[in-house]
Amino acid sequence: DAMVIQNPRYQVTQFGKPVTLSCSQTLNHNVMYWYQQKSSQAPKLLFHYYDKDFNNEADTPDNFQSRRPNTSFCFLDIRSPGLGDAAMYLCATRAENQPQHFGDGTRLSIL
Amino acid sequence: KQEVTQIPAALSVPEGENLVLNCSFTDSAIYNLQWFRQDPGKGLTSLLLIQSSQREQTSGRLNASLDKSSGRSTLYIAASQPGDSATYLCAVPNDSWGKLQFGAGTQVVVTP
């Protein structure tokens, strides 16, 4: 049973057209993370939530925003996608002192 | 700043051989270390989590060791199978929030 669910699995958008990626969890974990993974590279943390407290990484571009309306859902908004934003976007959750659980990711392509 | 390195970047072994994957980190003050598997185009599957107080952790054919003083962890996969072909990543939390710093991974191919 999938515990961290990301939709859609594949997303294609146009250069500059806003796009939203979604993540939901059935684990009731209080921490949620968004990572960006480019081809053959390690995942890179964009931001995380501890409950509703939002924490942005210093080098995350302003183009990337996030919303967490409740414990179960978290969204990644890319306001004006550029070609360099094409990547796999991974959502993860965690309870304190427990392993992180990842979703299957959303692969974003920019035309 | 914590840096995580995985060597080799790629590894190919015949079926049945044992796999040894290496992970090193620069700051030994870690909370834990986690090993993941990633299949092409997929997300990450957690394999093992070793707490900082532990020396090793085992799950089936997988065994992970941790030596904090030398900044190293090793993942052993016994009697490899073609289904073990994947990229294996190690990661350590940067802080108490659990923000992970990943290595670039070791791509493993097990040939029948």
Side-chain angles (χ1 to χ4, degrees), chain A residues 40-58:
Chain A
S40 301
Q41 295 184 21
K44 178 179 176 297
L45 182 67
L46 295 172
F47 22 62
H48 78 278
Y49 281 91
Y50 187 91
D51 292 324
K52 285 215 161 192
D53 291 335
F54 175 72
N55 298 272
N56 203 29
E57 291 301 293

Side-chain angles (χ1 to χ4, degrees), chain B residues 35-49:
Chain B
W35 281 95
F36 294 90
R37 169 186 172 135
Q38 186 172 33
D39 292 294
K42 295 289 186 72
L44 279 66
T45 300
S46 179
L47 298 174
L48 291 167
L49 173 77

Side-chain angles (χ1 to χ4, degrees), chain A residues 33 37 50 57 94 99-100 104, chain B residues 34 38 41 43 97-99 103:
Chain A
Y33 309 83
Q37 186 180 26
Y50 187 91
E57 291 301 293
R94 186 181 73 98
Q100 287 194 22
D104 279 340
Chain B
Q34 199 166 352
Q38 186 172 33
W97 297 110
K99 297 187 294 183

Side-chain angles (χ1 to χ4, degrees), chain B residues 2 25-31 52 66-72:
Chain B
Q2 178 76 271
F25 45 93
T26 54
D27 185 349
S28 61
I30 61 171
Y31 294 90
S52 61
L66 176 64
D67 184 344
K68 279 199 325 177
S69 61
S70 65
R72 291 180 187 172

